[in-house]
Amino acid sequence: MSQDQDNFRDSIGTIKEDGKRAWVFPKKPSGKLYEYRKYVSYVLLTFLIASPFVKINGNQFLMFNVLERRFNIFGFPFYPQDFHLFVISMIIGVVFIALFTVAFGRIFCGWMCPQTIFMEMVFRRIEYWIDGDRGAQMRLDRQEWNAEKIRKRALKWFIFFIISFIIANVFLAYLIGSDRLIQYITDGPAQHISTMISLLIFTGVFYFVFAWFREQVCIIACPYGRMQGVLLDNKSIVVAYDYERGEAENGRKKWRKNEDREALGNGDCIDCNQCVNVCPTGIDIRNGTQLECVNCTACIDECDTIMEKVNLPKGLIRYASEDEITKKEKFKFTPRLKGYTAVLVILTGVLVGMMFLRNDLEANILRLPGQLYEHKEGNIISNVYTYKLLNKTTKAVEDVHFELISPKGEIILVRHENFDVAPEALAEGTLFIEINQSALSGDKNNLKIGVYSNDKLIETTTARFLAPRSYK
């Protein structure tokens, strides 16, 4: 074993006994599952890079502009007024990850997490290309700083920096919008010094993560690993070592040709340590489910290759639950999973319904603070209001005006004319509402106001109207 079974969970696999970091030099993975992971990674890398630059109905596919509080999720724009929708979307994401974790463990980390995809499918593969496989990397690390080592390190670090700079640009496109990013690039960095400084800071962060911090992000920084420990149970499907088969009665043993392992009571594990050498977080999967395991399946491919070479059945390390290994129980849709699924379906239904009910134009009409009513000739009571119209679409809302739906009355814009609301813009102004005393039922009246565009009702809103108490 790579660690004592009794104390291997007392410390993480990438820390030495003296407290220093144990640098991980994983063997280059290969096998069927690794090929599948590559295909999935290519699709997700394309998605991650293209999402800020793809538009649906003029809206960026994904955007998280925290500073201006504007968010686009799958082409749907969210503004501060839609914060409740954004919160529901985030809750759905959390519930989905929880459901996925209960059922399949940390598979998201190994197959879909951007950190893993960039680390294992971009930076690590470049490292294999320049430094070589595990043995060559370890020799190069121990090697004196000669011309070969300087050349390889300089080339690798330069390429890492360029890729980190590209990732930082894509990240910035998510934050400020791709159109603005392209405009900044066209204008040149000299005209946007603050943005360029931010870009270099992001580049430095990404370079630090992928060139040095690496798997420590998954082990130390990412909260998902901690959440996994809470959500997993004996029925969760994870990357697992079949210790019933691998250890048998007398434990594992090195492979010897023409030896009857079954008669000797030895398990199918030949203690080759290849599952440890290929692990990107440096753990021994034979110790059981661990915080550091990201379910990347590299150990499954490596073990299957070894089993094939020694003519033993594959699947000694595989996707399996604890109950499948000990009780031979297959995966079941447990009540716990049904509960998570029900919550997910309900929340998704609520979000879809609210999305369909959401208007493209948000209207707010409020009485001007500190102002009472004005009593005019002809028994007319007048109140003054401010209005705000938010256009959530990429098209202008033209020829906008207001009409009082109930009670009957007149709305007078200060500008005395209809107006347009620009795409993704806020229109503000002042208006007066005048109502005859006979139409009022008391000193506080609720109004229903219609917002019209080209004489078509596009939104309704309400407001409070004050009048003298004697006009009840």
Side-chain angles (χ1 to χ4, degrees), residues 234-241 318-325:
N234 288 344
K235 301 183 184 301
S236 301
I237 304 294
V238 296
V239 172
Y241 166 65
R318 64 183 186 274
Y319 276 122
S321 66
E322 177 69 15
D323 283 354
E324 181 182 341
I325 292 173

Side-chain angles (χ1 to χ4, degrees), residues 309-405:
K309 289 180 179 178
V310 297
N311 294 318
L312 290 173
K314 296 180 181 180
L316 181 60
I317 302 175
R318 64 183 186 274
Y319 276 122
S321 66
E322 177 69 15
D323 283 354
E324 181 182 341
I325 292 173
T326 58
K327 303 177 183 178
K328 310 304 178 185
E329 291 183 0
K330 296 298 183 182
F331 176 76
K332 294 180 180 178
F333 201 60
T334 63
R336 188 181 180 196
L337 289 175
K338 292 177 182 177
Y340 280 119
T341 303
V343 172
L344 185 63
V345 170
I346 292 171
L347 286 173
T348 303
V350 170
L351 178 64
V352 171
M354 295 178 75
M355 290 291 293
F356 277 108
L357 293 174
R358 188 186 75 153
N359 291 322
D360 292 334
L361 187 129
E362 183 94 12
N364 283 297
I365 298 178
L366 300 173
R367 291 188 68 258
L368 195 63
Q371 298 293 321
L372 292 176
Y373 54 84
E374 181 182 357
H375 196 170
K376 293 187 174 183
E377 294 182 2
N379 292 327
I380 299 297
I381 306 299
S382 175
N383 282 203
V384 61
Y385 297 82
T386 60
Y387 66 83
K388 292 183 179 181
L389 300 180
L390 176 64
N391 183 3
K392 301 175 183 177
T393 70
T394 56
K395 297 180 180 179
V397 180
E398 300 177 342
D399 196 27
V400 176
H401 68 279
F402 302 94
E403 292 184 12
L404 196 57
I405 297 176

